[in-house]
mmCIF file with all atom_site columns, all heavy atoms in Angstrom:
data_model
loop_
_atom_site.group_PDB
_atom_site.id
_atom_site.type_symbol
_atom_site.label_atom_id
_atom_site.label_alt_id
_atom_site.label_comp_id
_atom_site.label_asym_id
_atom_site.label_entity_id
_atom_site.label_seq_id
_atom_site.pdbx_PDB_ins_code
_atom_site.Cartn_x
_atom_site.Cartn_y
_atom_site.Cartn_z
_atom_site.occupancy
_atom_site.B_iso_or_equiv
_atom_site.pdbx_formal_charge
_atom_site.auth_seq_id
_atom_site.auth_comp_id
_atom_site.auth_asym_id
_atom_site.auth_atom_id
_atom_site.pdbx_PDB_model_num
ATOM 1  N N   . ILE F 1 162 ? -2.847 9.196  7.500  1.00 0.00 ? 162 ILE F N   1
ATOM 2  C CA  . ILE F 1 162 ? -3.979 10.115 7.439  1.00 0.00 ? 162 ILE F CA  1
ATOM 3  C C   . ILE F 1 162 ? -3.620 11.429 8.113  1.00 0.00 ? 162 ILE F C   1
ATOM 4  O O   . ILE F 1 162 ? -2.760 11.477 9.001  1.00 0.00 ? 162 ILE F O   1
ATOM 5  C CB  . ILE F 1 162 ? -5.260 9.538  8.075  1.00 0.00 ? 162 ILE F CB  1
ATOM 6  C CG1 . ILE F 1 162 ? -5.063 9.302  9.576  1.00 0.00 ? 162 ILE F CG1 1
ATOM 7  C CG2 . ILE F 1 162 ? -5.706 8.280  7.379  1.00 0.00 ? 162 ILE F CG2 1
ATOM 8  C CD1 . ILE F 1 162 ? -6.353 8.985  10.296 1.00 0.00 ? 162 ILE F CD1 1
ATOM 9  N N   . ILE F 1 362 ? 12.071 40.433 26.841 1.00 0.00 ? 362 ILE F N   1
ATOM 10 C CA  . ILE F 1 362 ? 13.182 39.968 27.669 1.00 0.00 ? 362 ILE F CA  1
ATOM 11 C C   . ILE F 1 362 ? 14.497 40.295 26.957 1.00 0.00 ? 362 ILE F C   1
ATOM 12 O O   . ILE F 1 362 ? 14.693 39.909 25.802 1.00 0.00 ? 362 ILE F O   1
ATOM 13 C CB  . ILE F 1 362 ? 13.082 38.443 27.909 1.00 0.00 ? 362 ILE F CB  1
ATOM 14 C CG1 . ILE F 1 362 ? 11.811 38.097 28.686 1.00 0.00 ? 362 ILE F CG1 1
ATOM 15 C CG2 . ILE F 1 362 ? 14.315 37.931 28.640 1.00 0.00 ? 362 ILE F CG2 1
ATOM 16 C CD1 . ILE F 1 362 ? 11.800 38.552 30.113 1.00 0.00 ? 362 ILE F CD1 1
ATOM 17 N N   . PRO F 1 369 ? 10.459 31.780 35.718 1.00 0.00 ? 369 PRO F N   1
ATOM 18 C CA  . PRO F 1 369 ? 9.101  32.233 36.062 1.00 0.00 ? 369 PRO F CA  1
ATOM 19 C C   . PRO F 1 369 ? 9.065  33.568 36.789 1.00 0.00 ? 369 PRO F C   1
ATOM 20 O O   . PRO F 1 369 ? 8.135  34.352 36.586 1.00 0.00 ? 369 PRO F O   1
ATOM 21 C CB  . PRO F 1 369 ? 8.571  31.093 36.938 1.00 0.00 ? 369 PRO F CB  1
ATOM 22 C CG  . PRO F 1 369 ? 9.352  29.893 36.525 1.00 0.00 ? 369 PRO F CG  1
ATOM 23 C CD  . PRO F 1 369 ? 10.722 30.412 36.195 1.00 0.00 ? 369 PRO F CD  1
ATOM 24 N N   . GLY F 1 446 ? 23.937 41.829 44.731 1.00 0.00 ? 446 GLY F N   1
ATOM 25 C CA  . GLY F 1 446 ? 25.287 42.369 44.873 1.00 0.00 ? 446 GLY F CA  1
ATOM 26 C C   . GLY F 1 446 ? 25.614 42.761 46.304 1.00 0.00 ? 446 GLY F C   1
ATOM 27 O O   . GLY F 1 446 ? 26.784 42.690 46.721 1.00 0.00 ? 446 GLY F O   1
ATOM 28 N N   . GLN F 1 516 ? 36.071 37.421 33.801 1.00 0.00 ? 516 GLN F N   1
ATOM 29 C CA  . GLN F 1 516 ? 35.994 37.303 32.347 1.00 0.00 ? 516 GLN F CA  1
ATOM 30 C C   . GLN F 1 516 ? 34.632 37.671 31.772 1.00 0.00 ? 516 GLN F C   1
ATOM 31 O O   . GLN F 1 516 ? 34.468 37.690 30.551 1.00 0.00 ? 516 GLN F O   1
ATOM 32 C CB  . GLN F 1 516 ? 36.337 35.860 31.923 1.00 0.00 ? 516 GLN F CB  1
ATOM 33 C CG  . GLN F 1 516 ? 37.670 35.358 32.429 1.00 0.00 ? 516 GLN F CG  1
ATOM 34 C CD  . GLN F 1 516 ? 38.829 36.162 31.911 1.00 0.00 ? 516 GLN F CD  1
ATOM 35 O OE1 . GLN F 1 516 ? 38.915 36.428 30.730 1.00 0.00 ? 516 GLN F OE1 1
ATOM 36 N NE2 . GLN F 1 516 ? 39.742 36.558 32.793 1.00 0.00 ? 516 GLN F NE2 1
ATOM 37 N N   . VAL F 1 534 ? 24.617 62.876 35.145 1.00 0.00 ? 534 VAL F N   1
ATOM 38 C CA  . VAL F 1 534 ? 24.200 63.621 36.344 1.00 0.00 ? 534 VAL F CA  1
ATOM 39 C C   . VAL F 1 534 ? 25.288 64.587 36.807 1.00 0.00 ? 534 VAL F C   1
ATOM 40 O O   . VAL F 1 534 ? 25.131 65.258 37.837 1.00 0.00 ? 534 VAL F O   1
ATOM 41 C CB  . VAL F 1 534 ? 23.821 62.653 37.488 1.00 0.00 ? 534 VAL F CB  1
ATOM 42 C CG1 . VAL F 1 534 ? 22.649 61.780 37.079 1.00 0.00 ? 534 VAL F CG1 1
ATOM 43 C CG2 . VAL F 1 534 ? 25.012 61.787 37.914 1.00 0.00 ? 534 VAL F CG2 1
ATOM 44 N N   . ALA F 1 696 ? 43.050 24.386 41.835 1.00 0.00 ? 696 ALA F N   1
ATOM 45 C CA  . ALA F 1 696 ? 42.244 23.263 41.352 1.00 0.00 ? 696 ALA F CA  1
ATOM 46 C C   . ALA F 1 696 ? 40.749 23.501 41.524 1.00 0.00 ? 696 ALA F C   1
ATOM 47 O O   . ALA F 1 696 ? 39.940 23.106 40.685 1.00 0.00 ? 696 ALA F O   1
ATOM 48 C CB  . ALA F 1 696 ? 42.663 21.976 42.058 1.00 0.00 ? 696 ALA F CB  1
#
Side-chain angles (χ1 to χ4, degrees):
I162 64 169
I362 297 291
Q516 305 298 312
V534 298

